[in-house]
């Protein structure tokens, strides 16, 4: 059941992208329905997997990949209209690639290795999409807030990527055979 909900969200990626690329209120209403369905399925798939004890590493990758595709595509479609800076969808995609590479190849764990800031970013990436939809539906008071939110997410994504990079370099400095681990010099750790 959890995988079916994730698959339903995956099937929404292309329609959501198409309606996010259009700036009118009609397409914003369609985007609102798709976004609400995506958020609901994202919440419920994890709840169901945990309750039924069917949560797996592969299911986590499927869920996170689907989230990344949904959010990145929606942000890119909005960026094509000028609603978001282009750097935001580019950084979301880059952060996801780093997340996977860091987890599976650099740390060599068998599941995605989360971080607190990365987790919050993953949740908050849906917010500018919702803000843009609401603005197109007539909630003009959000207009000045949307660019601030988008740029705050750019900054927090860069910080999250830096945090991951720092963790990898710290791991390498502590690895057997590294200069810092051989000298025992705490300043080199």
């Amino acid at each position: 059941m959890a995988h079916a909900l994730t698959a339903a969200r995956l099937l929404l990626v292309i329609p959501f992208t198409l309606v996010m690329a259009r700036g009118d209120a009609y397409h914003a209403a369609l985007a609102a329905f798709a976004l609400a369905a995506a958020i609901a399925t994202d919440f419920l798939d994890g709840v169901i997997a945990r309750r039924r004890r069917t949560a797996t590493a592969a299911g986590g990758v499927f869920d996170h990949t689907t989230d990344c595709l949904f959010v990145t595509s929606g942000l890119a479609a909005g960026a094509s209209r000028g609603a978001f800076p282009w750097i935001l969808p580019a950084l979301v995609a880059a952060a996801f690639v780093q997340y996977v590479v860091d987890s599976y190849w650099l740390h060599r764990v068998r599941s995605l290795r989360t971080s607190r800031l990365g987790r919050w970013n993953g949740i908050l990436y849906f917010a500018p999409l919702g803000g843009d939809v609401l603005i197109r539906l007539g909630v003009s008071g959000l207009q000045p807030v949307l660019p601030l939110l988008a740029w705050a997410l750019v900054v927090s994504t860069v910080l999250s990527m830096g945090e991951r990079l720092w963790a990898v370099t710290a791991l390498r400095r502590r690895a057997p055979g590294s200069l810092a681990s051989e000298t025992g010099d705490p300043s080199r750790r």
Side-chain angles (χ1 to χ4, degrees):
M1 178 69 166
H3 290 315
L5 289 170
T6 305
R9 188 166 65 259
L10 182 60
L11 291 174
L12 288 172
V13 170
I14 292 174
F16 182 68
T17 302
L18 295 174
V19 295
M20 282 298 291
R22 306 288 297 269
D24 58 278
Y26 172 74
H27 287 92
L30 295 174
F33 285 115
L35 183 59
I39 291 169
T41 59
D42 190 25
F43 174 76
L44 291 173
D45 63 2
V47 169
I48 289 170
R50 285 186 295 278
R51 281 195 182 153
R52 293 187 174 182
R53 292 188 173 103
T54 59
T56 64
V61 171
F62 183 35
D63 178 57
H64 289 279
T65 301
T66 300
D67 290 346
C68 179
L69 291 171
F70 187 89
V71 168
T72 303
S73 298
L75 290 172
S80 74
R81 290 184 294 100
F84 314 115
W86 272 105
I87 193 162
L88 182 57
L91 281 173
V92 170
F96 181 74
V97 169
Q98 182 192 31
Y99 178 38
V100 172
V101 168
D102 172 64
S103 298
Y104 286 101
W105 287 284
L106 299 178
H107 277 87
R108 299 191 186 275
V109 293
R110 294 181 183 194
S111 62
L112 292 171
R113 196 180 71 76
T114 61
S115 72
R116 185 173 303 163
L117 182 56
R119 181 178 178 347
W120 279 107
N121 281 341
I123 293 167
L124 292 175
Y125 290 144
F126 286 90
L129 297 170
D132 175 63
V133 167
L134 290 172
I135 289 167
R136 291 189 287 149
L137 289 173
V139 185
S140 58
L142 293 177
Q143 186 66 47
V145 176
L146 187 60
L148 296 173
L149 175 60
W151 283 105
L153 284 169
V154 166
V155 170
S156 66
T157 302
V158 168
L159 289 173
S160 175
M161 293 175 76
E163 179 183 59
R164 255 184 205 285
L165 186 59
W166 179 258
V168 168
T169 58
L171 181 70
R172 293 197 184 269
R173 286 191 302 267
R174 289 189 306 261
S178 70
L179 185 58
S181 69
E182 288 176 9
T183 63
D185 181 359
S187 67
R188 298 184 55 103
R189 289 186 189 156

